[in-house]
Structure formats: structure tokens, C-alpha cells
């Protein structure tokens, strides 16, 4: 983020310097033209210099615009992530692994799911998927987290005749 700002500022300074240079070159041309007997070759040389400087300033200005757009994109991405991040809470799984779990009051109709903590720190939302028995994995960074997937519990619950597997699969409980 800081490097983006520095880049934009450096380019901005360059563009300002180039504009100042071309402005004084143009002023020089005007002064020559207003003379009683203007020297055409002198005017031509100075005009060419002014045009060169203007073109350079234009290029620098375009580079500055690019840098600012990049900066804006970066900021938008961060804002978007920050807004999303509010919906999750760092949670320890039943098997001691850490995940960012969707807050039940922030579900907005989404299924319960978990995000990778390593990717979360890098401000990337990466959903964990079951990759093995009692194991969730991050497809982005390859991190693995242990979390019981309920298959084992389900069998035991059924044998013990408890209400449903759902109670164990859904530790937050559901209002409806
Ligand atoms: Zn990850």
C-alpha cells in the first residue's frame, strides 16, 4: 500500500517538474514571437523544446493516473475484505485447529463455513473444504485444519438414539 502511494507521489513530482519546464519554454517562445524582428530559427528550436517537454509531462501524467488507479483498486480491495472480515470470528475447532468461522448472525442465508487463518491474515478470503476424514484444507495455501466432520459422531448418536445428527453438525444451534 505504502509503495503504491510513494510511486504515485514520485511520478507526480516528476510530472509537475516537467510541466513547469514546458510552461517556461512556451513563455520563452511567446517572448520571442512578440519581439519586433523575431528570429524564426530560434522560435522553432524553443517551440520544439516546449513540445518535447509537454509530451514528457503528458507521459508522466498518464503514469501517475495509472499509479493512482492501482492505489484506488488496492484500497477498494482492502475495504471489501475488511467488510467481509467482520462477518467471521476466530474459532478453535473441536480438534484444536483454528479457523475463521462465519458468525451465525452474519450468515445472510449462507451455509455455515470456515476460512483459512493464514490466507485471512494475508487479507484473502479462502474457504476451507473437506479434504480428508476430519480434515479441512485450504485450496489456496494448502493449509490443513483438523475438525471432526461428524461422520464418526453421527454413527454414535444414531446408536445412542439421540435426536438427530444435525445437533452435532451444527454446534451453533439453529433458531428455526
Ligand atoms: Zn490458506
Amino acid at each position: 500500500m505504502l509503495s503504491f502511494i510513494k510511486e504515485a507521489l514520485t511520478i507526480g513530482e516528476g510530472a509537475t517538474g516537467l510541466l513547469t519546464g514546458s510552461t517556461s519554454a512556451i513563455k520563452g517562445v511567446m517572448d520571442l514571437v512578440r519581439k519586433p524582428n523575431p528570429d524564426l530559427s530560434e522560435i522553432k528550436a524553443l517551440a520544439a523544446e516546449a513540445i518535447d517537454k509537454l509530451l514528457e509531462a503528458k507521459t508522466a501524467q498518464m503514469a501517475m493516473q495509472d499509479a493512482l488507479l492501482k492505489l484506488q483498486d488496492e484500497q477498494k480491495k482492502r475495504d471489501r475484505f475488511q467488510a467481509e472480515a467482520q462477518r467471521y470470528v476466530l474459532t478453535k475447532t473441536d480438534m484444536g485447529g483454528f479457523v475463521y468461522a462465519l458468525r451465525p448472525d452474519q450468515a445472510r442465508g449462507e451455509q455455515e463455513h470456515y476460512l483459512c487463518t493464514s490466507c485471512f491474515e494475508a487479507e484473502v478470503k479462502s474457504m476451507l473444504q473437506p479434504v480428508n476424514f476430519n480434515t479441512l484444507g485450504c485450496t489456496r495455501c494448502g493449509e490443513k485444519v483438523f475438525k471432526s466432520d461428524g461422520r464418526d459422531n453421527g454413527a454414535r448418536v444414531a446408536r445412542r438414539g439421540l435426536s438427530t445428527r444435525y445437533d452435532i453438525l451444527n454446534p451453533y444451534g439453529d433458531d428455526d
Side-chain angles (χ1 to χ4, degrees):
M1 190 63 171
L2 265 180
S3 69
F4 278 119
I5 295 174
K6 271 189 199 145
E7 190 189 341
L9 283 177
T10 308
I11 297 169
E13 273 168 26
T16 308
L18 287 166
L19 269 178
T20 310
S22 49
T23 306
S24 58
I26 289 166
K27 203 172 159 292
V29 174
M30 297 310 288
D31 288 347
L32 284 178
V33 170
R34 287 194 192 110
K35 273 187 179 169
N37 291 308
D39 180 342
L40 207 59
S41 60
E42 212 183 333
I43 291 173
K44 269 188 191 165
L46 205 54
E49 191 190 323
I51 288 167
D52 278 352
K53 282 188 173 145
L54 269 176
L55 285 176
E56 272 181 72
K58 179 78 194 159
T59 308
Q61 188 210 19
M62 275 156 55
M64 183 167 65
Q65 237 159 21
D66 277 356
L68 286 175
L69 281 178
K70 249 196 284 181
L71 185 68
Q72 222 172 28
D73 277 357
E74 191 65 19
Q75 187 59 48
K76 257 190 235 163
K77 234 165 72 179
R78 284 179 75 106
D79 288 349
R80 221 173 15 235
F81 178 81
Q82 290 305 329
E84 269 299 283
Q86 307 293 318
R87 301 176 61 210
Y88 296 84
V89 62
L90 186 65
T91 307
K92 198 173 185 177
T93 71
D94 51 357
M95 293 178 80
F98 281 97
V99 293
Y100 276 95
L102 182 66
R103 293 174 191 269
D105 61 341
Q106 290 288 324
R108 297 177 204 160
E110 285 177 24
Q111 291 278 315
E112 185 187 358
H113 61 265
Y114 307 97
L115 302 183
C116 168
T117 52
S118 301
C119 292
F120 197 93
E121 292 313 316
E123 303 199 336
V124 177
K125 184 180 166 180
S126 181
M127 221 174 273
L128 294 167
Q129 305 281 351
V131 288
N132 210 331
F133 182 63
N134 287 342
T135 311
L136 297 173
C138 173
T139 46
R140 187 175 168 269
C141 74
E143 181 133 309
K144 305 249 183 304
V145 185
F146 292 119
K147 181 182 182 304
S148 83
D149 52 23
R151 274 186 279 180
D152 187 33
N153 285 336
R156 254 184 276 139
V157 169
R159 275 202 299 276
R160 272 188 274 151
L162 289 177
S163 58
T164 56
R165 252 181 84 167
Y166 189 68
D167 295 336
I168 282 165
L169 285 173
N170 190 20
Y172 296 114
D174 235 330
D175 296 335
D176 51 33

